[in-house]
Amino acid sequence: MKIFRVTDPEFKPYGNVLEGYDTTELVEAMKKIPMPEAGTAYRPAIDSLEACAIFEDLRDRAYGGMPIQLGLCWGYNTKLNCLEYHKDSEVNIGTKDFILLLALRGEIEDGVVDASKVKAFRVPAGTAVEVFATSLHYSPCQTDEGGFVTAIVLPKGTNTEQPAITPANEEDRWMTARNKWLLAHPDSKEAAKGAHIGISGENIDIAASL
């Protein structure tokens, strides 16, 4: 699979590299959090990360003063497994290079997106990158055997407890948490737990492309 960089023109429909943010303190704070023994972990908000000076900068500039949370997704992953979206942008910052597997919400047809639509983008260490609300994404992928450690910045409350609703349309059935709509590959653990099966084709594994 071809792996583009977020500085390549191919990334423009999916996101934006944010300029003028000092990520040094945040990256050092992220490095202090122990890696999971296996798989991936996610926490929507972590106090030691939100204490970094960049938190207020991201809140007031990247999100225009809206309440945000600064958490972490970290561990070991090379597969697509799922695609999700939020009704807003997400900002990612890694302690080392990592890879995002992305598609577009407009490529969903009848509740399914073909995995052949997915593109891979390498994000350099310490770079703040915005993933647009119109982009489908999921867990970052590692670029070496040491795994990945990626800050996840989102509006406050995202990925927390799912609202108690009675589905009134198809999209309502894809919601798995607050401000989170999920499409799962049939081979994923999320599908086994009942998530909407919304990815057809290969469950992409970038391991061979590294």
Side-chain angles (χ1 to χ4, degrees), residues 11-39:
F11 184 63
K12 289 183 177 180
Y14 302 91
N16 180 43
V17 176
L18 300 181
E19 303 289 348
Y21 291 87
D22 185 352
T23 63
T24 306
E25 180 190 16
L26 175 62
V27 166
E28 290 306 309
M30 291 159 61
K31 289 178 179 179
K32 295 177 182 178
I33 299 175
M35 293 290 287
E37 291 184 3

Side-chain angles (χ1 to χ4, degrees), residues 104-119:
L104 297 172
R105 281 182 61 190
E107 293 170 332
I108 301 172
E109 296 184 7
D110 298 323
V112 178
V113 61
D114 193 308
S116 66
K117 302 290 187 181
V118 173
K119 290 184 171 63

Side-chain angles (χ1 to χ4, degrees), residues 159-176:
N159 289 331
T160 59
E161 184 179 0
Q162 181 177 352
I165 63 168
T166 299
N169 57 46
E170 179 61 26
E171 186 188 40
D172 288 349
R173 294 178 172 85
W174 307 347
M175 191 188 304
T176 60

Side-chain angles (χ1 to χ4, degrees), residues 88-128:
D88 49 73
S89 290
E90 173 177 313
V91 174
N92 295 161
I93 302 164
T95 61
K96 59 170 70 174
D97 287 15
F98 64 94
I99 291 171
L100 291 172
L101 296 176
L102 305 175
L104 297 172
R105 281 182 61 190
E107 293 170 332
I108 301 172
E109 296 184 7
D110 298 323
V112 178
V113 61
D114 193 308
S116 66
K117 302 290 187 181
V118 173
K119 290 184 171 63
F121 296 94
R122 188 177 184 119
V123 183
T127 298

Side-chain angles (χ1 to χ4, degrees), residues 27-155:
V27 166
E28 290 306 309
M30 291 159 61
K31 289 178 179 179
K32 295 177 182 178
I33 299 175
M35 293 290 287
E37 291 184 3
T40 62
Y42 173 72
R43 288 174 57 189
I46 297 177
D47 289 345
S48 62
L49 305 187
E50 293 190 346
C52 296
I54 195 175
F55 178 80
E56 293 184 358
D57 205 17
L58 288 165
R59 180 194 63 200
D60 295 342
R61 293 174 55 220
Y63 286 89
M66 294 295 291
I68 63 169
Q69 63 193 26
L70 202 171
L72 199 68
C73 185
W74 74 116
Y76 307 90
N77 180 55
T78 60
K79 289 188 174 183
L80 174 63
N81 290 321
C82 295
L83 289 166
E84 68 177 358
Y85 61 91
H86 315 293
K87 297 298 177 75
D88 49 73
S89 290
E90 173 177 313
V91 174
N92 295 161
I93 302 164
T95 61
K96 59 170 70 174
D97 287 15
F98 64 94
I99 291 171
L100 291 172
L101 296 176
L102 305 175
L104 297 172
R105 281 182 61 190
E107 293 170 332
I108 301 172
E109 296 184 7
D110 298 323
V112 178
V113 61
D114 193 308
S116 66
K117 302 290 187 181
V118 173
K119 290 184 171 63
F121 296 94
R122 188 177 184 119
V123 183
T127 298
V129 63
E130 175 188 3
V131 178
F132 296 152
T134 48
S135 296
L136 302 172
H137 61 280
Y138 202 50
S139 172
C141 294
Q142 64 204 55
T143 55
D144 59 42
E145 294 182 356
F148 69 93
V149 181
T150 303
I152 308 292
V153 187
L154 284 161

